[in-house]
Amino acid sequence: MVLTAALCACGHDANVHVARLAAAPPLAPLPTSAVTVPIAPRPVAPPSALVANVAALVRGFDGRVGVAVRSIEEGWAVDTGGEQRLPQQSVSKLWVAMTVLDYRDAGRLKLEDPITLTRDDLTVFHQPIAALIKGEQGYQTTVGELLQRALTMSDNTANDRLLRYVGGPNAVRDFLQRKRLGDIRFGPGERLLQSQTAGLVWKPDFAFGNAFALARARLPRTDRIAAYERYVSDPPDGAAPRAIAEALARLKRGDLLSRSSTEYLLATMESSHTGKQRLRGAVPAGWTFGHKTGTGQDLAGRTAGYNDVGLLIAPDGRSYAIAVMIGDTPKPIPARQALMQAVVASVVANHG
């Protein structure tokens, strides 16, 4: 029997091509613009128009917002609200992927390593791979396929299975610390994070059907609001946009992983299917963009995290790391997307 799983727009990335479920993504996409820059540049002054525009965009938005932009070749940095620790949600899948590839570089695993997914591996919300888990035999997959699904489809079950494969949250935290990636937290994994945000204690039954949504709906309103406020005020998966932008810049420069793993990760990010109207919505023809989105749960017209972070590469090869994170906002989705697109448009306009 084919299992079904909870698919909920609240809490996870939209705009995913679920029609691609049955087809395993390619194990190793060919690198396109994934060319690393060998050394960190000496910083220069950022474009004044970009500084002013980013500040105005953040100032005019209703909600907690942090925007950070890094020029990878020239070294300048622009950020407004970039020091705030904001919810990452599925942006944190990047750190799981980097930890997996760091293990690969150390010879501790291969992308071809086999993994079997079973009912016990299911999580909550967006997990299209659940439709492939059949009967007692489960679904036979590989580390590489799970990494592809986690990053390009934002599949929660694929991500959490990889997380357990490398040793759990502490393995990712160790990677973040060893690489000195700054103010970036890593949470307890999808099941516990989403349960805590909703005010629930995780139960395995939540992974099936709409059990999670029903349990959440049965909670007293005051309990849900209290849990939501705890999460947005001090998110266990919180990160500063400026730290994420700097981490992406270091990834592009080849500071974090081997050249092979760097090219693999950048090419995978460029093939992502999520968030087409976020940052990607303003990327001009001829430019390249690789990214990871993240979206939190909704409550009373507010959203606990609406993010997009990535690497924008111009036709001349120069590149920018961009992180736009909205930590808590009542603004509708089109307004959030417009903010993100305006940041990209400003970067492009000041590329000279």
Side-chain angles (χ1 to χ4, degrees), residues 67-273:
V67 175
V69 181
R70 299 284 182 274
S71 168
I72 294 169
E73 286 74 26
E74 297 180 354
W76 53 254
V78 173
D79 70 66
T80 299
E83 76 292 344
Q84 300 177 84
R85 188 180 287 164
L86 301 171
Q88 293 183 82
Q89 292 292 321
S90 287
V91 166
S92 65
K93 290 181 172 72
L94 279 174
W95 320 125
V96 176
M98 289 186 194
T99 302
V100 169
L101 293 171
D102 184 58
Y103 274 40
R104 177 202 191 205
D105 291 341
R108 301 176 67 178
L109 61 77
K110 297 179 181 179
L111 295 178
E112 298 81 7
D113 285 348
I115 297 180
T116 300
L117 287 183
T118 70
R119 293 167 60 96
D120 293 338
D121 293 313
L122 295 178
T123 56
V124 290
F125 298 138
H126 191 70
Q127 46 181 344
I129 203 169
L132 302 179
I133 301 174
K134 301 177 181 180
E136 295 301 322
Q137 74 270 26
Y139 177 62
Q140 307 299 317
T141 182
T142 64
V143 168
E145 183 189 345
L146 291 178
L147 190 150
Q148 291 283 320
R149 289 179 175 275
L151 289 183
T152 66
M153 299 181 180
S154 207
D155 190 305
N156 293 327
T157 289
N159 185 74
D160 272 18
R161 186 64 183 88
L162 285 177
L163 177 60
R164 290 192 295 278
Y165 194 76
V166 297
N170 284 338
V172 179
R173 293 166 188 151
D174 176 69
F175 174 82
L176 294 170
Q177 184 175 23
R178 283 189 292 108
K179 298 298 183 177
R180 299 184 179 183
L181 294 187
D183 193 5
I184 299 174
R185 285 177 169 177
F186 187 80
E190 203 67 37
R191 295 167 170 174
L192 297 181
L193 180 70
Q194 299 305 333
S195 297
Q196 292 168 7
T197 302
L200 295 168
V201 176
W202 169 257
K203 295 180 181 179
D205 291 348
F206 290 168
F208 302 96
N210 62 347
F212 184 92
L214 290 175
R216 185 175 60 181
R218 285 193 295 265
L219 287 173
R221 185 75 162 184
T222 54
D223 290 356
R224 284 203 61 195
I225 292 174
Y228 182 97
E229 295 291 353
R230 284 194 299 271
Y231 174 70
V232 295
S233 65
D234 188 21
D237 66 334
R242 64 171 55 161
I244 292 180
E246 179 58 28
L248 290 171
R250 289 182 59 194
L251 172 68
K252 183 67 169 66
R253 291 197 298 263
D255 292 347
L256 302 182
L257 300 168
S258 70
R259 182 178 181 87
S260 171
S261 290
T262 298
E263 291 179 343
Y264 177 89
L265 180 54
L266 294 179
T268 301
M269 292 168 64
E270 289 173 12
S271 65
S272 174
H273 309 311

Side-chain angles (χ1 to χ4, degrees), residues 1-74:
M1 178 176 66
V2 179
L3 300 178
T4 56
L7 296 178
C8 174
C10 302
H12 295 273
D13 303 307
N15 302 319
V16 178
H17 295 309
V18 180
R20 296 177 179 259
L21 294 181
L27 180 62
L30 295 175
T32 54
S33 57
V35 178
T36 56
V37 182
I39 58 173
R42 179 172 297 179
V44 298
S48 57
L50 179 62
V51 174
N53 198 23
V54 167
L57 288 169
V58 173
R59 187 169 57 247
F61 194 82
D62 183 10
R64 291 187 64 197
V65 181
V67 175
V69 181
R70 299 284 182 274
S71 168
I72 294 169
E73 286 74 26
E74 297 180 354

Side-chain angles (χ1 to χ4, degrees), residues 303-319:
T303 299
Y306 193 86
N307 311 314
D308 201 0
V309 309
L311 287 159
L312 178 67
I313 304 169
D316 63 10
R318 285 185 289 165
S319 50

